[in-house]
Amino acid sequence: MGASFSALFIDQDGLSSSSPCLGDLPESCVASIIQHLDPPEICKLAKLNRAFSAASWADFVWESKLPPNYHILVHKILGFVPQNLGKRDIYTRLCRPNTFDGGTKKVWLHKSTGGVCMSISSKGLQITGIDDRRYWNHIPTNESRFHSIAYLRQIWWFEVNGEVEFPFPVGTYSVFFRLQLGRASRGFGRGICDPKQVHGWDIKPVRFQLWTSGDKHSTCECSLSEGGKWFHYYVGDFNVENPNSSTKIKLSMTQIDCTHTKGGLCLDSVVIYPSAFIERLKHNGFLKCTKPCCHMLHSI
């Protein structure tokens, strides 16, 4: 099979080079090698020559990168997909942020690892007082995947609830609220933050809670601090053992001490990542409320 590619390597006199070249490798051999690489590395090597380009489209290469239950994910996220669509094309489509549930949720595969990631917009959460503009406003922004965030002006009873049911692949996942203290806006072509209305978050901590199947319940308390920057506030972890059925989780964020008001908070979304991503968030300085502040409870 590789003999057809040897013609690509011709010396200046028009004669075939006597030395073996990468183009002489059989396509099946190249595919067997590159399947052990990360997807971005495979795509880079595909530009090397025709043999690597052809091998990079082999279905068995990308089948190993796709989640084991990718057929269920394709049906859930993409709906109808042509039967002749190759595995590389399927991987590419799943890596794009795909919107579902009326535009309130986005799900995608991490390009390098193939891990499933999800984001739930503020409009997909149940927020106490969200319809009263004395308390909350929806603000358009390019700092959100959904191009809109919920901004809290001031409230006594702060409560946000959400739930999701989705066929996550086997693994451990972490849940976060993406928050910023201070009103997000743009000025002079860049993002700015107005901290004038930020108050009440340093008096008592916010409680984050997560309920998963099997009557498991985790809770975490954390004070909101350091305005002007988006942070991921850790809620808890959940495990998936059966990828062929949907996993249902419920989550909440509350500060219901009515002795004082709270305000000046931007709520973008809830995000769900494979738990291995925690170290990446920590390294980039985006993580708040780490696991030691939390504890797991089992309902009786």
Side-chain angles (χ1 to χ4, degrees):
M1 186 181 295
S4 62
F5 297 102
S6 60
L8 297 173
F9 297 87
I10 306 296
D11 61 20
Q12 294 181 349
D13 297 325
L15 300 175
S16 297
S17 172
S18 59
S19 300
C21 300
L22 285 175
D24 295 319
L25 287 172
E27 181 183 316
S28 59
C29 179
V30 175
S32 297
I33 295 171
I34 65 176
Q35 71 170 325
H36 300 289
L37 302 177
D38 292 337
E41 295 173 328
I42 295 173
C43 293
K44 288 180 181 178
L45 286 177
K47 302 176 182 178
L48 192 60
N49 57 42
R50 291 183 183 178
F52 277 79
S53 177
S56 72
W57 286 93
D59 274 352
F60 76 87
V61 170
W62 294 97
E63 185 114 28
S64 66
K65 310 303 177 187
L66 287 163
N69 68 337
Y70 76 90
H71 292 95
I72 299 175
L73 296 177
V74 166
H75 178 75
K76 175 74 174 181
I77 301 170
L78 303 179
F80 174 75
V81 175
Q83 292 184 353
N84 60 348
L85 194 66
K87 299 298 189 295
R88 175 171 167 171
D89 284 326
I90 292 176
Y91 191 90
T92 300
R93 292 194 184 190
L94 290 178
C95 283
R96 300 169 185 164
N98 296 281
T99 304
F100 66 107
D101 274 6
T104 62
K105 296 182 178 68
K106 291 181 183 289
V107 66
W108 65 97
L109 298 186
H110 186 261
K111 291 182 180 180
S112 295
T113 65
V116 172
C117 307
M118 180 182 288
S119 183
I120 308 170
S121 76
S122 59
K123 293 182 179 180
L125 303 171
Q126 294 78 52
I127 303 174
T128 299
I130 189 63
D131 296 325
D132 193 328
R133 298 192 63 179
R134 293 175 301 172
Y135 306 130
W136 290 91
N137 296 112
H138 288 292
I139 301 176
T141 176
N142 291 328
E143 296 184 3
S144 170
R145 291 181 179 273
F146 300 93
H147 305 291
S148 175
I149 60 171
Y151 176 70
L152 174 64
R153 300 178 63 189
Q154 178 174 291
I155 203 166
W156 293 88
W157 183 288
F158 176 79
E159 183 174 8
V160 180
N161 295 290
E163 64 179 65
V164 62
E165 190 169 356
F166 190 79
F168 290 95
V170 170
T172 302
Y173 297 84
S174 297
V175 183
F176 309 87
F177 273 91
R178 186 171 184 263
L179 310 170
Q180 175 181 273
L181 287 177
R183 177 168 179 152
S185 60
R186 296 194 66 81
F188 303 103
R190 62 185 181 88
I192 58 176
C193 182
D194 183 1
K196 292 180 180 179
Q197 293 183 319
V198 177
H199 69 281
W201 304 108
D202 57 344
I203 299 176
K204 286 193 175 181
V206 171
R207 172 171 290 187
F208 299 95
Q209 297 186 83
L210 177 67
W211 294 266
T212 63
S213 57
D215 294 329
K216 292 182 179 179
H217 169 221
S218 64
T219 181
C220 179
E221 292 191 348
C222 181
S223 296
L224 306 189
S225 60
E226 194 174 342
K229 183 178 178 181
W230 289 101
F231 288 105
H232 290 69
Y233 285 81
Y234 175 77
V235 180
D237 292 344
F238 65 94
N239 295 312
V240 177
E241 297 178 355
N242 183 5
N244 297 319
S245 64
S246 293
T247 299
K248 186 174 183 179
I249 65 169
K250 295 182 179 181
L251 51 99
S252 74
M253 173 185 177
T254 57
Q255 216 293 20
I256 55 177
D257 183 348
C258 293
T259 62
H260 64 283
T261 60
K262 287 75 66 175
L265 177 70
C266 289
L267 168 57
D268 171 35
S269 59
V270 168
V271 289
I272 302 173
Y273 293 139
S275 292
F277 284 34
I278 286 183
E279 291 303 319
R280 187 174 306 175
L281 292 172
K282 188 183 299 183
H283 176 75
N284 293 329
F286 298 147
L287 181 64
K288 291 285 188 179
C289 296
T290 52
K291 291 185 179 182
C293 77
C294 305
H295 58 276
M296 184 73 72
L297 300 175
H298 295 272
S299 300
I300 299 176

